[in-house]
Amino acid sequence: MSTAALAPARPGKVLADLLPASRVRDLALVLGGAALTGLAAQIAVPVPGSPVPVTGQTFAALLVGTTLGVRRGVSSLAVYALAGLAGVPWFAGGGSGVSVSFGYILGMILATAAVGALARRGADRSVPRMAGTMLLGEAVIYLVGVPYLAFAADMSASAAIAAGLTPFLIGDLVKAVLAMGLLPTAWKLVKE
């Protein structure tokens, strides 16, 4: 077996790279990623006992990162966060500004960077690697969001975990399963 066969595939592309390159393309992708995240945040279901709702926002943010890559993905989530801070009502359930759940948005920016870097290395091309990529992205979001929730809502660590992590684990598993089918299938369709 050659060493090339042992090395992981490094395709170097994300799905957005398949579009003709231009600054206009990149700007449209960044703004589109921010808008998709804002739209998905409107799918918000309150969780009893938690100030944090279940939303489609995290799924959208992770898809933005994997399809756009690090630079464009982080730019999209930065635009999303800054516009929401400036008053655009596109945080969860039409909110804007800083809230106890703003740490999750900060976590999404970091998670977008992580999943974008992994996608550039081919993690979005197979079911098992995509599952791991999504679960890692979710973990990054929680690593920032839960401590921020504890601080902002003056909760103990265990209360923040109970209110800001535990109720969301099943939904995160569903999101990972969706992504496991979606992105590897997209790559097969484009035959790249």
Side-chain angles (χ1 to χ4, degrees):
M1 184 178 280
S2 73
T3 54
L6 295 174
R10 296 190 185 270
K13 288 185 179 181
V14 293
L15 281 169
D17 294 333
L18 301 178
L19 299 172
S22 75
R23 290 187 193 272
V24 172
R25 171 205 69 177
D26 288 344
L27 180 62
L29 290 171
V30 166
L31 295 177
L36 174 68
T37 306
L39 182 63
Q42 304 318 302
I43 302 167
V45 179
V47 175
S50 176
V52 181
V54 171
T55 70
Q57 170 183 32
T58 56
F59 183 65
L62 295 174
L63 285 180
V64 165
T66 53
T67 58
L68 300 186
V70 176
R71 185 177 49 82
R72 291 177 299 233
V74 168
S75 296
S76 286
L77 270 289
V79 167
Y80 171 70
L82 292 172
L85 287 173
V88 174
W90 63 357
F91 289 165
S96 64
V98 177
S99 71
V100 296
S101 62
F102 188 70
Y104 295 94
I105 294 169
L106 297 174
M108 283 181 239
I109 296 170
L110 294 175
T112 298
V115 300
L118 291 171
R120 181 115 8 234
R121 289 170 177 78
D124 59 343
R125 298 193 184 199
S126 74
V127 170
R129 292 179 77 191
M130 190 62 214
T133 299
M134 288 296 282
L135 293 175
L136 174 70
E138 292 286 353
V140 170
I141 293 168
Y142 288 124
L143 285 171
V144 178
V146 173
Y148 186 98
L149 175 64
F151 174 77
D154 196 25
M155 297 177 156
S156 68
S158 61
I161 289 168
L165 170 67
T166 308
F168 304 96
L169 294 176
I170 292 173
D172 290 339
L173 183 60
V174 170
K175 293 172 192 176
V177 168
L178 288 171
M180 285 170 23
L182 186 62
L183 290 167
T185 301
W187 277 109
K188 285 178 183 166
L189 290 174
V190 296
K191 296 178 174 47
E192 182 70 24

